[in-house]
Amino acid sequence: MVLSWPYYISNLIRRGYLIGESTLDELARKIRVDTRALHHIVESCNEYARMGYDVGSNRGGNSYDNFYGDLAEKPNPNLGLCRKAPFYALRIYPGNVSTMWVL
């Protein structure tokens, strides 16, 4: 449900679907996650973005992923750096919508 600019997210924040804070430490406290763990995850994702390849989940490795990517992001349109506030979190629930098999 969360799309990048120019879509507005204020309604998603007001309803509690999206949680935002001005620092990673504040966000970690709000979502009840260990602060060091959140920093570690963000650092790992930023390293993947710089490399252009997500070692953990292969995000952005195919045209299906790239459909919603940001072509301004280099080297991979699906892997942008997480470095500028505000920072957001949302609950993720496993499901089978829009799954695919990659050979």
Side-chain angles (χ1 to χ4, degrees), residues 10-75:
S10 56
N11 188 41
L12 300 173
I13 293 170
R14 188 176 60 256
R15 292 186 353 221
Y17 177 80
L18 189 62
I19 300 162
E21 282 297 339
S22 59
T23 69
L24 288 175
D25 290 348
E26 292 170 1
L27 183 62
R29 280 190 284 280
K30 194 174 224 179
I31 63 173
R32 298 181 182 155
V33 169
D34 180 75
T35 303
R36 290 172 301 184
L38 182 58
H39 279 276
H40 176 72
I41 290 168
V42 169
E43 289 168 15
S44 295
C45 288
N46 283 342
E47 182 59 28
Y48 297 157
R50 284 188 279 278
M51 292 183 332
Y53 179 73
D54 184 337
V55 176
S57 65
N58 194 31
R59 284 178 302 140
N62 58 64
S63 59
Y64 181 85
D65 289 343
N66 291 331
F67 181 78
Y68 285 110
D70 180 354
L71 297 178
E73 288 294 336
K74 303 291 182 202

Coordinates of all heavy atoms in Angstrom, one line a residue, residues 10-75:
S10 N 0.4 10.2 4.6 CA -0.1 10.7 5.9 C -1.3 9.9 6.5 O -1.4 9.6 7.7 CB -0.5 12.2 5.9 OG -1.5 12.4 4.8
N11 N -2.2 9.5 5.6 CA -3.3 8.6 6.0 C -2.8 7.3 6.5 O -3.4 6.8 7.5 CB -4.3 8.4 4.8 CG -5.6 7.8 5.3 OD1 -6.1 8.1 6.3 ND2 -6.1 6.9 4.4
L12 N -1.8 6.7 5.9 CA -1.3 5.4 6.3 C -0.6 5.6 7.7 O -0.7 4.6 8.5 CB -0.3 4.9 5.3 CG -0.8 4.6 3.9 CD1 0.3 4.3 3.0 CD2 -1.9 3.5 4.0
I13 N 0.0 6.7 8.0 CA 0.6 6.9 9.3 C -0.4 7.1 10.3 O -0.4 6.5 11.4 CB 1.6 8.1 9.2 CG1 2.8 7.8 8.3 CG2 2.0 8.5 10.6 CD1 3.7 9.0 8.0
R14 N -1.4 7.9 10.0 CA -2.5 8.2 10.9 C -3.3 6.9 11.4 O -3.6 6.8 12.5 CB -3.5 9.2 10.3 CG -4.5 9.7 11.3 CD -5.4 10.8 10.7 NE -6.2 10.4 9.6 CZ -5.9 10.7 8.3 NH1 -4.9 11.5 8.0 NH2 -6.7 10.3 7.3
R15 N -3.4 6.0 10.4 CA -4.1 4.8 10.7 C -3.2 3.7 11.4 O -3.7 2.7 11.8 CB -4.7 4.2 9.4 CG -5.8 5.0 8.9 CD -6.6 4.5 7.7 NE -6.0 3.3 7.1 CZ -5.9 3.0 5.8 NH1 -6.3 3.9 4.9 NH2 -5.4 1.9 5.4
G16 N -1.9 4.0 11.5 CA -1.0 3.1 12.2 C -0.5 2.0 11.3 O 0.2 1.1 11.7
Y17 N -0.8 2.1 10.0 CA -0.2 1.1 9.0 C 1.3 1.3 8.8 O 2.0 0.3 8.8 CB -1.0 1.2 7.7 CG -0.5 0.3 6.6 CD1 -0.9 -1.1 6.6 CD2 0.4 0.7 5.6 CE1 -0.4 -1.9 5.6 CE2 0.9 -0.2 4.7 CZ 0.5 -1.5 4.7 OH 1.0 -2.3 3.7
L18 N 1.7 2.5 8.8 CA 3.1 2.9 8.6 C 3.5 3.7 9.8 O 2.8 4.5 10.3 CB 3.2 3.8 7.3 CG 4.5 4.1 6.8 CD1 5.3 2.9 6.4 CD2 4.4 5.1 5.6
I19 N 4.7 3.3 10.3 CA 5.2 3.9 11.5 C 6.5 4.7 11.1 O 7.4 4.1 10.5 CB 5.6 2.9 12.6 CG1 4.3 2.1 12.9 CG2 6.2 3.5 13.8 CD1 4.6 0.8 13.6
G20 N 6.6 6.0 11.5 CA 7.7 6.8 11.1 C 8.3 7.5 12.3 O 7.6 7.8 13.2
E21 N 9.6 7.7 12.2 CA 10.4 8.4 13.2 C 11.5 9.2 12.5 O 11.9 8.8 11.4 CB 10.9 7.5 14.3 CG 9.9 7.1 15.3 CD 9.3 8.2 16.1 OE1 9.9 9.3 16.2 OE2 8.2 8.0 16.7
S22 N 12.1 10.1 13.3 CA 13.2 10.9 12.7 C 14.6 10.3 12.8 O 15.5 10.8 12.2 CB 13.2 12.3 13.3 OG 13.3 12.2 14.7
T23 N 14.7 9.3 13.7 CA 16.0 8.6 13.8 C 15.7 7.1 13.9 O 14.6 6.6 14.2 CB 16.8 9.0 15.1 OG1 16.1 8.5 16.2 CG2 16.9 10.5 15.2
L24 N 16.7 6.3 13.5 CA 16.6 4.9 13.6 C 16.5 4.4 15.1 O 15.7 3.5 15.3 CB 17.9 4.2 13.0 CG 18.0 4.2 11.5 CD1 19.3 3.7 11.0 CD2 16.8 3.5 10.8
D25 N 17.1 5.1 16.0 CA 17.0 4.7 17.4 C 15.5 4.9 17.9 O 15.0 4.0 18.6 CB 17.9 5.5 18.3 CG 19.4 5.2 18.1 OD1 19.7 4.1 17.5 OD2 20.2 5.9 18.6
E26 N 14.9 6.0 17.5 CA 13.5 6.3 17.9 C 12.6 5.3 17.3 O 11.6 4.8 17.9 CB 13.1 7.7 17.5 CG 13.8 8.8 18.3 CD 13.5 10.2 17.7 OE1 12.8 10.3 16.7 OE2 14.1 11.1 18.3
L27 N 12.9 4.9 16.0 CA 12.0 3.9 15.3 C 12.2 2.6 16.0 O 11.2 1.9 16.2 CB 12.4 3.9 13.8 CG 11.6 2.9 13.0 CD1 10.1 3.3 12.9 CD2 12.1 2.8 11.6
A28 N 13.4 2.2 16.3 CA 13.6 0.9 17.0 C 12.8 0.8 18.3 O 12.2 -0.2 18.6 CB 15.1 0.7 17.2
R29 N 12.9 1.9 19.1 CA 12.1 1.9 20.3 C 10.6 1.8 20.1 O 9.9 1.0 20.7 CB 12.4 3.1 21.1 CG 13.7 3.1 21.9 CD 13.9 4.2 22.9 NE 14.2 5.5 22.2 CZ 15.5 5.8 21.8 NH1 16.4 4.9 22.0 NH2 15.7 6.9 21.2
K30 N 10.1 2.5 19.1 CA 8.7 2.5 18.8 C 8.2 1.2 18.3 O 7.1 0.8 18.7 CB 8.4 3.6 17.7 CG 6.9 3.9 17.6 CD 6.7 5.1 16.7 CE 5.7 6.1 17.2 NZ 5.5 7.2 16.4
I31 N 9.0 0.5 17.5 CA 8.5 -0.8 17.0 C 9.0 -2.0 17.9 O 8.8 -3.2 17.5 CB 8.9 -1.0 15.5 CG1 10.4 -1.1 15.4 CG2 8.2 0.0 14.7 CD1 10.9 -1.4 13.9
R32 N 9.7 -1.7 19.0 CA 10.1 -2.7 19.9 C 11.2 -3.6 19.3 O 11.0 -4.9 19.4 CB 9.0 -3.4 20.6 CG 8.1 -2.5 21.3 CD 6.9 -3.3 22.0 NE 6.1 -2.3 22.6 CZ 4.8 -2.5 22.9 NH1 4.3 -3.7 22.5 NH2 4.1 -1.7 23.5
V33 N 12.2 -3.1 18.7 CA 13.2 -3.8 18.1 C 14.5 -3.4 18.7 O 14.7 -2.2 19.0 CB 13.3 -3.6 16.5 CG1 14.5 -4.2 15.9 CG2 12.0 -4.2 15.9
D34 N 15.5 -4.3 18.9 CA 16.8 -3.9 19.5 C 17.4 -2.9 18.6 O 17.5 -3.1 17.3 CB 17.6 -5.1 19.6 CG 19.0 -4.8 20.2 OD1 19.1 -4.6 21.4 OD2 20.0 -4.8 19.4
T35 N 17.9 -1.8 19.1 CA 18.5 -0.7 18.4 C 19.7 -1.1 17.6 O 19.8 -0.8 16.4 CB 18.8 0.5 19.3 OG1 17.7 0.9 20.0 CG2 19.4 1.7 18.6
R36 N 20.5 -1.9 18.2 CA 21.7 -2.4 17.5 C 21.4 -3.3 16.3 O 22.0 -3.2 15.3 CB 22.7 -3.1 18.5 CG 23.3 -2.2 19.5 CD 24.1 -3.0 20.5 NE 23.1 -3.9 21.1 CZ 23.3 -4.7 22.1 NH1 24.5 -4.8 22.6 NH2 22.4 -5.4 22.7
A37 N 20.4 -4.1 16.5 CA 19.9 -5.0 15.4 C 19.4 -4.2 14.2 O 19.7 -4.5 13.1 CB 18.9 -6.0 16.0
L38 N 18.6 -3.2 14.5 CA 18.1 -2.3 13.4 C 19.2 -1.6 12.7 O 19.2 -1.6 11.5 CB 17.0 -1.3 13.9 CG 16.4 -0.4 12.9 CD1 15.7 -1.3 11.8 CD2 15.5 0.6 13.5
H39 N 20.2 -1.1 13.4 CA 21.3 -0.4 12.8 C 22.1 -1.5 11.9 O 22.5 -1.1 10.8 CB 22.2 0.2 13.8 CG 21.8 1.5 14.3 ND1 22.1 2.7 13.6 CD2 21.1 1.9 15.4 CE1 21.5 3.7 14.2 NE2 20.9 3.2 15.3
H40 N 22.2 -2.7 12.4 CA 22.9 -3.7 11.7 C 22.2 -4.0 10.4 O 22.8 -4.2 9.3 CB 23.1 -5.0 12.5 CG 23.7 -6.1 11.8 ND1 25.1 -6.1 11.4 CD2 23.2 -7.2 11.3 CE1 25.3 -7.2 10.7 NE2 24.2 -7.9 10.6
I41 N 20.9 -4.2 10.4 CA 20.1 -4.5 9.2 C 20.2 -3.4 8.2 O 20.4 -3.6 7.0 CB 18.6 -4.8 9.6 CG1 18.5 -6.1 10.4 CG2 17.7 -4.7 8.4 CD1 17.2 -6.3 11.1
V42 N 20.1 -2.1 8.7 CA 20.2 -1.0 7.8 C 21.6 -0.9 7.1 O 21.7 -0.7 5.9 CB 19.8 0.3 8.5 CG1 20.2 1.5 7.6 CG2 18.4 0.3 8.9
E43 N 22.6 -1.2 7.9 CA 24.0 -1.2 7.3 C 24.1 -2.3 6.3 O 24.7 -2.1 5.2 CB 25.0 -1.3 8.4 CG 25.1 -0.1 9.3 CD 25.9 -0.4 10.6 OE1 26.6 -1.4 10.7 OE2 25.8 0.4 11.5
S44 N 23.5 -3.5 6.6 CA 23.6 -4.6 5.6 C 22.9 -4.2 4.3 O 23.4 -4.4 3.2 CB 23.0 -5.8 6.2 OG 23.8 -6.3 7.3
C45 N 21.7 -3.6 4.4 CA 20.9 -3.2 3.2 C 21.6 -2.2 2.5 O 21.6 -2.2 1.2 CB 19.5 -2.8 3.7 SG 18.4 -4.1 4.2
N46 N 22.3 -1.2 3.2 CA 23.0 -0.2 2.5 C 24.2 -0.8 1.7 O 24.5 -0.3 0.6 CB 23.5 0.9 3.4 CG 22.3 1.8 3.8 OD1 21.3 1.9 3.1 ND2 22.5 2.6 4.9
E47 N 24.9 -1.8 2.3 CA 26.0 -2.4 1.6 C 25.5 -3.1 0.3 O 26.1 -3.0 -0.7 CB 26.7 -3.4 2.5 CG 27.9 -4.1 1.9 CD 29.0 -3.1 1.4 OE1 29.1 -2.0 2.0 OE2 29.7 -3.4 0.5
Y48 N 24.3 -3.8 0.4 CA 23.7 -4.4 -0.7 C 23.4 -3.4 -1.8 O 23.6 -3.6 -3.0 CB 22.5 -5.2 -0.4 CG 22.6 -6.3 0.6 CD1 21.6 -6.8 1.4 CD2 23.9 -7.0 0.8 CE1 21.7 -7.9 2.2 CE2 24.0 -8.0 1.6 CZ 22.9 -8.5 2.4 OH 23.1 -9.5 3.2
A49 N 22.9 -2.3 -1.4 CA 22.6 -1.2 -2.4 C 23.8 -0.7 -3.1 O 23.8 -0.5 -4.3 CB 21.9 0.0 -1.6
R50 N 24.9 -0.5 -2.3 CA 26.2 -0.1 -3.0 C 26.7 -1.2 -3.9 O 27.2 -0.8 -5.0 CB 27.2 0.2 -1.9 CG 27.0 1.6 -1.2 CD 28.1 2.0 -0.3 NE 28.1 1.3 1.0 CZ 27.3 1.7 2.0 NH1 26.6 2.7 1.9 NH2 27.4 1.0 3.1
M51 N 26.5 -2.4 -3.6 CA 27.0 -3.5 -4.5 C 26.1 -3.7 -5.6 O 26.5 -4.2 -6.7 CB 27.1 -4.8 -3.7 CG 28.1 -4.9 -2.6 SD 28.3 -6.5 -1.8 CE 26.7 -7.2 -1.8
G52 N 24.8 -3.4 -5.5 CA 23.8 -3.6 -6.5 C 23.2 -5.0 -6.5 O 22.5 -5.4 -7.4
Y53 N 23.4 -5.7 -5.4 CA 22.9 -7.1 -5.3 C 22.6 -7.4 -3.9 O 23.4 -7.2 -3.0 CB 24.0 -8.1 -5.8 CG 23.5 -9.5 -5.8 CD1 22.6 -10.0 -6.6 CD2 24.1 -10.4 -4.8 CE1 22.2 -11.3 -6.6 CE2 23.7 -11.7 -4.7 CZ 22.7 -12.1 -5.6 OH 22.3 -13.4 -5.5
D54 N 21.4 -7.9 -3.6 CA 20.9 -8.3 -2.3 C 21.3 -9.7 -2.1 O 20.6 -10.6 -2.6 CB 19.4 -8.0 -2.2 CG 18.9 -8.3 -0.8 OD1 19.6 -9.1 0.0 OD2 17.8 -7.8 -0.4
V55 N 22.3 -10.0 -1.3 CA 22.8 -11.4 -1.1 C 21.7 -12.2 -0.3 O 21.6 -13.4 -0.6 CB 24.1 -11.3 -0.2 CG1 24.6 -12.7 0.1 CG2 25.2 -10.6 -1.0
G56 N 20.9 -11.5 0.5 CA 20.0 -12.2 1.4 C 18.7 -12.7 0.6 O 18.2 -13.8 0.8
S57 N 18.2 -11.9 -0.3 CA 16.9 -12.2 -0.9 C 16.9 -12.0 -2.4 O 15.8 -12.2 -3.0 CB 15.8 -11.4 -0.3 OG 15.9 -10.1 -0.5
N58 N 18.0 -11.6 -3.0 CA 18.1 -11.4 -4.5 C 17.0 -10.4 -5.0 O 16.6 -10.4 -6.1 CB 17.9 -12.7 -5.2 CG 18.3 -12.6 -6.7 OD1 19.2 -11.8 -7.0 ND2 17.7 -13.3 -7.5
R59 N 16.7 -9.4 -4.1 CA 15.8 -8.3 -4.6 C 16.4 -7.6 -5.8 O 17.5 -7.3 -5.8 CB 15.5 -7.3 -3.5 CG 14.6 -7.8 -2.4 CD 14.4 -6.7 -1.3 NE 15.7 -6.4 -0.7 CZ 16.1 -5.2 -0.4 NH1 15.2 -4.2 -0.5 NH2 17.3 -5.0 0.1
G60 N 15.5 -7.3 -6.7 CA 16.0 -6.6 -7.9 C 16.7 -7.4 -8.9 O 17.3 -6.8 -9.8
G61 N 16.7 -8.7 -8.8 CA 17.4 -9.5 -9.7 C 16.7 -9.9 -10.9 O 17.2 -10.7 -11.7
N62 N 15.5 -9.4 -11.2 CA 14.8 -9.8 -12.4 C 13.8 -8.6 -12.8 O 13.6 -7.7 -12.0 CB 14.0 -11.1 -12.1 CG 13.0 -11.0 -11.0 OD1 12.1 -10.2 -11.0 ND2 13.3 -11.7 -9.9
S63 N 13.3 -8.7 -14.0 CA 12.4 -7.7 -14.5 C 11.1 -7.5 -13.7 O 10.6 -6.4 -13.6 CB 12.1 -7.9 -16.0 OG 11.5 -9.2 -16.1
Y64 N 10.6 -8.6 -13.1 CA 9.4 -8.4 -12.3 C 9.7 -7.5 -11.1 O 8.9 -6.6 -10.9 CB 9.0 -9.8 -11.8 CG 7.8 -9.8 -10.9 CD1 6.5 -9.9 -11.5 CD2 7.9 -9.8 -9.5 CE1 5.4 -10.0 -10.7 CE2 6.7 -9.8 -8.8 CZ 5.5 -9.9 -9.4 OH 4.4 -9.9 -8.6
D65 N 10.8 -7.6 -10.4 CA 11.1 -6.7 -9.3 C 11.3 -5.3 -9.9 O 10.9 -4.3 -9.2 CB 12.4 -7.2 -8.6 CG 12.3 -8.4 -7.8 OD1 11.1 -8.8 -7.5 OD2 13.3 -9.0 -7.5
N66 N 12.0 -5.2 -11.0 CA 12.4 -3.9 -11.5 C 11.2 -3.0 -12.0 O 11.3 -1.8 -12.2 CB 13.4 -4.0 -12.6 CG 14.7 -4.5 -12.1 OD1 15.1 -4.2 -10.9 ND2 15.4 -5.2 -12.9
F67 N 10.0 -3.6 -12.1 CA 8.8 -2.9 -12.6 C 8.5 -1.7 -11.7 O 8.2 -0.6 -12.2 CB 7.6 -3.8 -12.7 CG 6.4 -3.1 -13.2 CD1 6.2 -2.8 -14.5 CD2 5.4 -2.7 -12.3 CE1 5.1 -2.2 -15.0 CE2 4.3 -2.1 -12.8 CZ 4.1 -1.8 -14.1
Y68 N 8.7 -1.8 -10.4 CA 8.4 -0.8 -9.4 C 9.7 -0.1 -9.0 O 9.6 0.7 -8.0 CB 7.6 -1.3 -8.2 CG 6.1 -1.5 -8.6 CD1 5.7 -2.8 -8.6 CD2 5.3 -0.5 -8.8 CE1 4.3 -3.1 -8.9 CE2 3.9 -0.7 -9.1 CZ 3.5 -2.0 -9.2 OH 2.2 -2.3 -9.5
G69 N 10.8 -0.4 -9.6 CA 12.0 0.2 -9.1 C 12.2 1.7 -9.5 O 11.4 2.2 -10.3
D70 N 13.1 2.3 -8.9 CA 13.4 3.7 -9.1 C 14.7 3.8 -10.1 O 15.8 3.5 -9.6 CB 13.7 4.5 -7.8 CG 14.1 5.9 -8.0 OD1 14.2 6.4 -9.2 OD2 14.2 6.6 -7.0
L71 N 14.4 4.1 -11.3 CA 15.5 4.0 -12.3 C 16.6 5.0 -12.0 O 17.7 4.9 -12.5 CB 14.9 4.3 -13.7 CG 14.0 3.2 -14.2 CD1 13.4 3.6 -15.6 CD2 14.6 1.9 -14.2
A72 N 16.4 6.0 -11.1 CA 17.5 6.9 -10.7 C 18.5 6.2 -9.8 O 19.6 6.7 -9.6 CB 16.9 8.1 -10.1
E73 N 18.1 5.1 -9.1 CA 18.9 4.4 -8.2 C 19.9 3.6 -9.0 O 19.5 2.8 -9.9 CB 18.1 3.5 -7.3 CG 17.4 4.2 -6.2 CD 18.2 4.9 -5.2 OE1 19.4 4.6 -5.0 OE2 17.7 5.9 -4.6
K74 N 21.2 3.7 -8.7 CA 22.2 3.0 -9.4 C 23.1 2.2 -8.3 O 23.3 2.8 -7.3 CB 23.1 3.9 -10.2 CG 22.4 4.7 -11.2 CD 21.9 3.9 -12.4 CE 21.2 4.8 -13.4 NZ 20.3 4.2 -14.2
P75 N 23.5 1.1 -8.6 CA 23.5 0.3 -9.8 C 22.2 -0.5 -10.0 O 22.0 -1.1 -11.0 CB 24.7 -0.6 -9.7 CG 24.9 -0.8 -8.3 CD 24.4 0.4 -7.6

